Amino acid sequence: MEEFPTFVTHLECSYTGKTYPADQLHGLSEAGKPLLVRYDLDALSKAINKEDLIGRLPELWRYREFLPVRRSENVVRLGELVTPLLPANKLQQEYGCGEILIKDEGRLPTGSFKARGLTMAVSMAKELGVECMAMPTNGNAGAALAAYCSRANIETYVFCPEDTPRVNVEEIAFQGAKTFLANGFINDCGRIVGEGKETMGWFDTSTLKEPYRIEGKKTMGLELAEQLGWEVPDVILYPTGGGTGLIGMWKAFDELEAIGWIGSKRPRMVAVQADGCAPIVKAFEEGTRHAELWQDAHTIAAGIRVPAAVGDFLILDAVRDSGGFAVAVSDEAINAAHQHCAKTEGILLCPEGAATLAALKQELTTGRIKKDEKVLLFNCATGLKYPMVSDHYTIDLNQPIDYDFIRTVD
Ligand SMILES: *Cc1c(COP(=O)(O)O)cnc(C)c1O
């Protein structure tokens, strides 16, 4: 069986810097903080150059040297395609701003970018002999966990808030997870997993409580840099729940700079939240490094309804170091952006993706995003998973067809 050329040296506590051996099962560090995977970047840079990527398949595993899986037989794949960067020229004209690109992550397996994190976490779980995984989820992570685990013969238990979008609950259960709805938020569901893991023999796959989902999400940074000719955009707007993607991309840019593939320019990272659940925005504005638990969280954008994030300081550090900011938008603005993007650009965003567009529009007005900046928005899931409010009409075929009426609708 083919061995991947891998360069993992150890894991490191993101808070204290304490190191832990690779190739063993880990959750959080002793300090209760996320672990980051570290690589021998010197050896990595000698083993691969940019041109080596050219002949490889357009999929996530093209970056295998940057990833932790040691043996190719352990890779659990469902077709993790490179996702397109779609220019939104009409919106750019309308707003009179710089180039707008939308990275459409809805094309990934299970219809969301959670597939990037879970293909990695489940592949590593397989490599390290895990037999049963459990997770609290607002929907998409659970769906990706269920799919990849079923493929890898790993048992799964998934816990969702009771008002998780119906389609998410159904796809999780349909793809083989034992699925439970609880009358609380994702952090309450996280407590079910945390308190039960010893007795139940579960591996806790909560956001950032295992080290490898970040590595999977890191590929967003590698991929967008490669797609832009090893340049980064001026601004990245990221809908932020647990923040895995923002933290992962930030790590990707550091690793790429360390091996000389990009320069020192970084995008300004903007964490977008909903005004009904904005713990990171509050901490950003108050100048603190940790965020308080958000009470009574509510927003139609379920993927970013995360009242407490264990990686809060990693999100806030990246946002601040990049010269970016954190911003909240209203559900009304999310709905308006959702509808407007679909009608003008033909791009069906998810509500969380729409939140990034709403934030762009808002911040072009305040001037925190400049009119000449090249901006990248993340659409994190397919819009087809979410309810759409639309105007349509019925026709009674027992009556003569009324073309005059059809002509009047708009
Ligand atoms: C998970 C999720 C997010 C938030 O991603 P994080 O990296 O956990 O912050 C945003 N949108 C959707 C659709 C999601 O499923």
Side-chain angles (χ1 to χ4, degrees):
M1 196 47 71
E2 182 202 349
E3 302 282 319
F4 276 177
T6 51
F7 300 92
V8 177
T9 52
H10 62 278
L11 308 187
E12 188 183 291
C13 173
S14 56
Y15 199 64
T16 64
K18 181 171 175 180
T19 62
Y20 295 80
D23 307 307
Q24 291 177 6
L25 209 53
H26 293 288
L28 291 172
S29 72
E30 284 158 38
K33 300 297 180 200
L35 289 171
L36 298 175
V37 183
R38 295 300 180 202
Y39 299 81
D40 180 348
L41 292 173
D42 209 40
L44 188 160
S45 73
K46 293 193 178 93
I48 178 180
N49 55 48
K50 294 174 186 171
E51 291 68 38
D52 293 331
L53 293 175
I54 291 167
R56 293 188 183 175
L57 291 175
E59 57 161 17
L60 179 153
W61 298 98
R62 67 197 275 101
Y63 305 112
R64 55 187 173 250
E65 284 86 352
F66 296 83
L67 300 174
V69 185
R70 303 253 193 222
R71 298 174 64 82
S72 61
E73 66 191 341
N74 292 325
V75 172
V76 188
R77 285 174 207 260
L78 284 168
E80 297 73 33
L81 305 171
V82 166
T83 63
L85 280 179
L86 304 171
N89 295 334
K90 284 197 262 177
L91 294 175
Q92 177 186 350
Q93 251 175 18
E94 180 186 331
Y95 301 158
C97 64
E99 199 178 342
I100 305 173
L101 295 169
I102 300 178
K103 191 150 177 64
D104 189 9
E105 299 278 293
R107 320 290 178 102
L108 284 160
T110 71
S112 87
F113 65 5
K114 292 297 194 301
R116 291 185 189 268
L118 272 310
T119 187
M120 205 61 57
V122 174
S123 297
M124 287 306 293
K126 185 175 171 196
E127 191 153 272
L128 299 171
V130 172
E131 285 170 359
C132 185
M133 298 170 87
M135 175 193 273
T137 179
N138 281 329
N140 287 319
L145 180 75
Y148 283 99
C149 281
S150 289
R151 202 160 168 81
N153 294 321
I154 295 174
E155 214 186 338
T156 41
Y157 289 81
V158 173
F159 302 88
C160 316
E162 62 188 352
D163 55 353
T164 299
R166 205 71 228 158
V167 62
N168 285 135
V169 176
E170 280 160 7
E171 63 180 326
I172 295 166
F174 203 73
Q175 292 175 124
K178 295 176 181 107
T179 310
F180 302 85
L181 301 186
N183 52 342
F185 295 108
I186 187 169
N187 47 314
D188 302 311
C189 293
R191 191 165 59 80
I192 303 172
V193 175
E195 288 176 9
K197 63 185 175 193
E198 302 292 339
T199 6
M200 304 298 294
W202 293 333
F203 181 67
D204 186 346
T205 320
S206 306
T207 305
L208 299 188
K209 290 191 181 165
E210 67 78 53
Y212 301 109
R213 278 170 70 183
I214 294 183
E215 295 305 294
K217 284 273 195 92
K218 184 178 88 177
T219 60
M220 295 191 295
L222 304 173
E223 196 174 294
L224 72 89
E226 187 184 10
Q227 285 174 306
L228 295 173
W230 305 106
E231 294 281 332
V232 294
D234 298 314
V235 184
I236 292 180
L237 286 94
Y238 186 80
T240 306
T244 327
L246 195 148
I247 298 164
M249 282 190 280
W250 195 245
K251 186 170 187 283
F253 300 143
D254 280 347
E255 291 174 359
L256 287 174
E257 186 185 357
I259 64 169
W261 287 19
I262 62 170
S264 59
K265 179 186 161 180
R266 290 286 183 282
R268 300 200 295 124
M269 305 297 283
V270 177
V272 178
Q273 300 200 299
D275 61 12
C277 182
I280 298 295
V281 179
K282 181 163 183 279
F284 177 79
E285 283 169 357
E286 291 174 354
T288 58
R289 195 170 180 226
H290 291 278
E292 283 165 40
L293 177 76
W294 189 273
Q295 302 297 339
D296 301 322
H298 60 89
T299 168
I300 50 159
I304 53 175
R305 199 182 61 167
V306 178
V310 2
D312 52 1
F313 65 104
L314 296 171
I315 302 168
L316 286 156
D317 286 356
V319 164
R320 290 189 175 117
D321 291 352
S322 74
F325 55 92
V327 61
V329 290
S330 67
D331 278 7
E332 295 71 54
I334 293 174
N335 277 333
H338 196 199
Q339 170 70 90
H340 190 60
C341 187
K343 278 201 174 157
T344 54
E345 294 287 2
I347 300 174
L348 185 58
L349 302 171
C350 60
E352 298 80 1
T356 67
L357 179 59
L360 172 63
K361 189 175 178 200
Q362 176 177 308
E363 296 307 320
L364 284 166
T365 321
T366 64
R368 282 202 288 187
I369 295 175
K370 308 276 173 306
K371 297 257 167 167
D372 59 353
E373 288 185 304
K374 176 170 175 162
V375 175
L376 193 146
L377 309 180
F378 265 90
N379 183 46
C380 4
T382 169
L384 291 173
K385 290 200 196 194
Y386 303 86
M388 285 165 257
V389 184
S390 63
D391 297 328
H392 49 260
Y393 310 88
T394 45
I395 288 174
D396 180 0
L397 287 172
N398 298 316
Q399 304 294 324
I401 298 170
D402 184 352
Y403 290 101
D404 284 335
F405 167 70
I406 292 174
R407 190 181 288 115
T408 60
V409 308
D410 63 15

